[in-house]
Amino acid sequence: CRLDDVQHALDQLPKRDRPEPIWVLPRYEEVLNRIDGMIREAQVSVWLSLWPRELDRLRPALLAVADRRLHRVLHCPVHVDDPPAGFSFWAGEAGQAGSKASWVHKALVVVDRREALIGGTEVDADNHAVWTTNPSLVDMATNNVVLDITLMAHTLKRDCDDIVSHMMRPHQLSAGPPAAHWSGGSR
């Protein structure tokens, strides 16, 4: 019987102990609330690529974890007058904001190399942002933050190797990032 064949084929598929959830967050407030919660739960690292509007909304969460020993990296496509303390900070130059004014706001957030949020941060749009603990998607989000920083470093003629090498080597995460990146002001 064909149904028996289908059932047998389904039974042969590998099974996971627990599925890796993928949640779609359409509304701006849902997206920002999820990022806020992710930051507040961080134990090892917070890697962000955000616009100033979202950064301002998330400052209370960033302040709430300011005393934790976290590897902190922040990329922003445009200049920020007051970057949060303790982050390796990568932002566009002050004169670039006008040329990027029409760009759609997106967020890339990776916390503890365990969870990621990827997607839109437009106030009046269906953002289709995705929050997940799926390891492949977390790696993709990490690689995109690394790409943002690498491109910014190239534009600004700054070296980013010490920052991105830590992000690209998960086996170093257990030992912690280089001491120079645990705290201190923006770069």
Side-chain angles (χ1 to χ4, degrees):
C1 173
R2 294 180 96 179
L3 287 177
D4 289 336
D5 292 340
V6 169
Q7 183 62 49
H8 179 73
L10 288 173
D11 289 341
Q12 299 306 308
L13 291 174
K15 293 178 181 49
R16 297 195 59 149
D17 290 336
R18 66 174 196 165
E20 300 297 340
I22 297 174
W23 302 98
V24 178
L25 307 170
R27 293 190 303 276
Y28 183 74
E29 289 302 319
E30 290 175 310
V31 174
L32 271 285
N33 287 341
R34 183 66 252 159
I35 296 171
D36 182 282
M38 291 169 67
I39 292 169
R40 290 176 188 271
E41 294 169 9
Q43 299 298 312
V44 178
S45 60
V46 175
W47 303 330
L48 308 168
S49 184
L50 299 168
W51 287 81
R53 177 182 67 203
E54 287 68 44
L55 180 60
D56 287 342
R57 288 281 310 273
L58 294 165
R59 284 186 189 271
L62 296 172
L63 186 58
V65 299
D67 61 341
R68 292 190 201 153
R69 291 176 44 107
L70 300 171
H71 184 242
R72 304 163 199 259
V73 178
L74 172 61
H75 165 266
C76 188
V78 297
H79 177 75
V80 173
D81 289 325
D82 185 24
F87 277 82
S88 174
F89 184 64
W90 301 83
E93 297 173 356
Q96 295 178 332
S99 66
K100 296 179 180 179
S102 65
W103 288 17
V104 175
H105 286 213
K106 303 282 185 185
L108 288 167
V109 178
V110 180
V111 171
D112 296 343
R113 198 179 268 283
R114 162 182 56 79
E115 63 181 326
L117 185 135
I118 309 155
T121 54
E122 288 297 330
V123 177
D124 295 321
D126 189 353
N127 288 292
H128 299 287
V130 173
W131 170 67
T132 186
T133 58
N134 178 281
S136 293
L137 295 175
V138 171
D139 282 344
M140 290 293 293
T142 300
N143 290 340
N144 277 282
V145 175
V146 167
L147 179 61
D148 285 344
I149 292 167
T150 303
L151 292 172
M152 186 68 63
H154 178 73
T155 299
L156 300 175
K157 297 180 180 19
R158 283 177 53 194
D159 180 35
C160 67
D161 289 347
D162 57 338
I163 298 301
V164 299
S165 64
H166 172 71
M167 296 170 77
M168 296 303 294
R169 296 187 184 130
H171 63 277
Q172 289 182 345
L173 201 53
S174 62
H181 302 296
W182 281 109
S183 63
S186 61
R187 293 179 131 219

